[in-house]
Amino acid sequence: MDSTETELKLCLDAALLSRVPRLPAIAAYKTGKGRSKTLISTYYDTPTRELRQSGVSLRLRQSGRDWTQTVKTEGRRASGLFERGEWEISAPLAQVHLPHLLATELPVFRLDGLIERLTPVFTTQVRRTIYLLATPEWDIELALDQGEILAGDRRMPLAEIELELRRGPVTALFGLAQDIAAGFPCRVLTSAKSDRGYALADGGAPRPTKAPPLDLNADMNAGQSFSVIAGNCLRHLQSNEAALRGDQAGEAVHQMRVALRRLRSALKVFKPLVHGTELDTIKTEMRWLLGHLGPARDADVFLAEIIAPVQENHPDAPALAVLREEWLEQRQQAFVAATAAIDDNRFTRLMLTLGQWLAQAPWTTTEAAAMSLGRYARQVLKKSHRRLLKAGGDNLTHLPAPELHQVRILGKQMRYTGEFFATLYPRAETKPFLGLLAELQESLGGLNDLTVAGITLAGTHHRQDWAWAAGMICGWHEHRRPGLLRDARLTWKKLRKTTPYWE
């Protein structure tokens, strides 16, 4: 590998780009005047996107009379920070240089006939202005990019900031990004230009994504594993931001909530390691974000799981149609509020704070952090399991609704914990146990939905048409309760008899 590129990206209104170098926090570090140049970059791949599927990008870039060929890997990404391999050479013939591709030793370039199948996919045309920023502790290149991405007759505007680390700690990038976010409304970018170019060329809208795979191993210690898990949760959260603005916003909100809850569970799991005033601030901001995502998700579930099934069975009931329209409006308002929260600079600052905190990793210096991951995982899993069994008792279906809700919460936390550490154990042993926890969560979740729906619909008694519809909905769903209780009881019985895989 020629080098490892480490950079952080922000996007903002194009009209604000030229004002960034005048920010006091930026101007204080400038070592000279900015240098501007026009960059025209063409990205290559095969018609079946073999490079894309391998996490590799290939571009030819023209700057004046100079041509450069660059290969990059996807690398690691979290909170706008990109750390990836980069190979670059001069390309005076302005065409793909085969020996350079083979010299990277990336397996994809050795596929039979791949070179012959390479073709231009999209182009970026950018006016870039570069400033060099420096202190005794670090050197950073600030690049202001404005232009567009072109794929056939499709165009996408581009206005972004790249902060590339030349020397010093990664935390310096986050410090500068926080200074910029304090001065201008901006967002953390989690997609490279190549990601957006492929999306434009292939006509694909952003799609919600589940958590990326976690790969922990027994050679890690507890501190290292928390860094991996927390970074995974942050990537899960940010990877759904773009989809929130698309036609699959409901699932995007759901995945963002799951990511935040996974992170909160990780904080509980690693509580002996992770603490401090900075964490208190992060928890406060996470609660703020969940407070905006929650109503959107609740409205979505209420429409899909509570109202829709009844309306399908009673399509001619006008009161149900009125109630549904009212909830559609509430859902719309909730999603507008959720999107506004994501667009707010408070969300940007939270993402940067989390990224900087993960880069600093203060928990790695604690005594508990040095414990082997295998030993730590067993202790945590045993404790979580005991709490769950104690809360549910011999027959959890005899519990009142609040205690059933608590079992559901503990079961969800147990499932997250088990998924965090699953790769430490054989899949044949973890899958059945985690499957039972998922079944329990589904049954208890359904019961909780019925309870919440009853409370929600009780507030409609002041309107005669709503009161009739509310009564019909509650009555229709009440017939589901015995089945959900039966499923929960059977799953709980199996779970109590199942030998935990960590034993």
Side-chain angles (χ1 to χ4, degrees), residues 50-355:
E50 288 163 278
L51 297 189
R52 177 71 167 163
Q53 293 173 25
S54 299
V56 173
S57 67
L58 166 64
R59 77 175 182 223
L60 275 179
R61 169 173 286 175
Q62 180 184 12
S63 177
R65 296 182 178 180
D66 298 327
W67 289 80
T68 305
Q69 176 172 294
T70 305
V71 173
K72 293 185 182 183
T73 58
E74 183 177 8
R76 296 188 302 162
R77 305 182 185 189
S79 197
L81 187 70
F82 292 71
E83 295 179 293
R84 49 191 178 174
E86 181 181 57
W87 295 261
E88 196 165 79
I89 63 164
S90 174
L93 297 179
Q95 62 186 34
V96 174
H97 186 66
L98 175 58
H100 175 240
L101 302 184
L102 297 176
T104 66
E105 298 185 356
L106 294 171
V108 67
F109 291 124
R110 297 189 179 277
L111 294 177
D112 289 342
L114 178 129
I115 305 302
E116 291 75 14
R117 297 195 301 276
L118 290 175
T119 185
V121 179
F122 58 89
T123 300
T124 62
Q125 296 180 355
V126 172
R127 184 65 176 172
R128 168 171 289 183
T129 303
I130 296 174
Y131 295 87
L132 297 180
L133 313 178
T135 72
E137 290 76 33
W138 50 257
D139 296 328
I140 292 174
E141 180 181 282
L142 168 67
L144 310 176
D145 288 352
Q146 183 174 355
E148 59 182 352
I149 305 173
L150 303 95
D153 58 358
R154 298 173 181 171
R155 293 171 177 263
M156 177 189 294
L158 183 156
E160 64 186 51
I161 299 169
E162 289 186 3
L163 297 167
E164 184 170 354
L165 187 67
R166 297 297 190 181
R167 176 182 63 88
V170 169
T171 52
L173 292 176
F174 288 101
L176 273 179
Q178 288 279 24
D179 290 336
I180 294 171
F184 300 109
C186 58
R187 298 203 325 270
V188 175
L189 265 177
T190 57
S191 61
K193 292 182 181 70
S194 59
D195 298 320
R196 284 165 276 158
Y198 276 110
L200 184 66
D202 296 337
R207 301 176 61 183
T209 61
K210 294 185 177 182
L214 260 173
D215 189 15
L216 303 181
N217 61 74
D219 293 333
M220 291 181 175
N221 60 37
Q224 292 168 332
S225 66
F226 175 74
S227 295
V228 173
I229 292 170
N232 179 277
C233 295
L234 186 54
R235 184 172 181 182
H236 182 196
L237 173 66
Q238 293 179 306
S239 66
N240 284 283
E241 179 186 341
L244 179 60
R245 299 174 177 84
D247 57 5
Q248 297 187 57
E251 181 61 18
V253 162
H254 174 52
Q255 290 301 326
M256 293 181 83
R257 287 183 81 205
V258 170
L260 287 168
R261 286 175 170 173
R262 290 177 68 236
L263 181 54
R264 291 206 303 190
S265 292
L267 294 175
K268 291 178 182 178
V269 167
F270 291 92
K271 188 175 180 180
L273 288 66
V274 185
H275 45 74
T277 56
E278 192 170 24
L279 178 59
D280 293 337
T281 300
I282 288 172
K283 286 181 176 179
T284 298
E285 295 304 283
M286 287 171 60
R287 283 193 295 271
W288 163 79
L289 183 55
L290 280 167
H292 285 79
L293 297 178
R297 173 60 179 170
D298 293 343
D300 211 41
V301 170
F302 192 77
L303 276 163
E305 303 295 333
I306 302 301
I307 295 180
V310 183
Q311 192 175 27
E312 287 174 7
N313 281 268
H314 301 276
D316 299 325
L320 286 175
V322 171
L323 184 63
R324 179 177 180 274
E325 289 302 316
E326 293 280 358
W327 271 96
L328 282 171
E329 178 61 29
Q330 291 191 36
R331 178 191 182 277
Q332 176 64 22
Q333 293 175 4
F335 272 86
V336 168
T339 304
I342 299 302
D343 288 338
D344 195 300
N345 252 28
R346 187 171 178 178
F347 176 75
T348 298
R349 293 193 295 270
L350 172 59
M351 295 301 98
L352 292 173
T353 298
L354 280 167

Side-chain angles (χ1 to χ4, degrees), residues 11-27:
C11 66
L12 72 171
D13 191 298
L16 299 175
L17 269 178
S18 62
R19 295 169 55 186
V20 172
R22 298 199 295 271
L23 275 174
I26 300 299

Side-chain angles (χ1 to χ4, degrees), residues 4-54:
T4 299
E5 178 185 58
T6 303
E7 61 184 11
L8 193 151
K9 299 174 180 286
L10 301 170
C11 66
L12 72 171
D13 191 298
L16 299 175
L17 269 178
S18 62
R19 295 169 55 186
V20 172
R22 298 199 295 271
L23 275 174
I26 300 299
Y29 302 130
K30 289 193 297 186
T31 61
K33 294 182 178 181
R35 297 177 290 105
S36 296
K37 53 187 176 181
T38 298
L39 305 175
I40 302 175
S41 304
T42 301
Y43 289 75
Y44 289 78
D45 206 334
T46 66
T48 54
R49 305 294 188 255
E50 288 163 278
L51 297 189
R52 177 71 167 163
Q53 293 173 25
S54 299

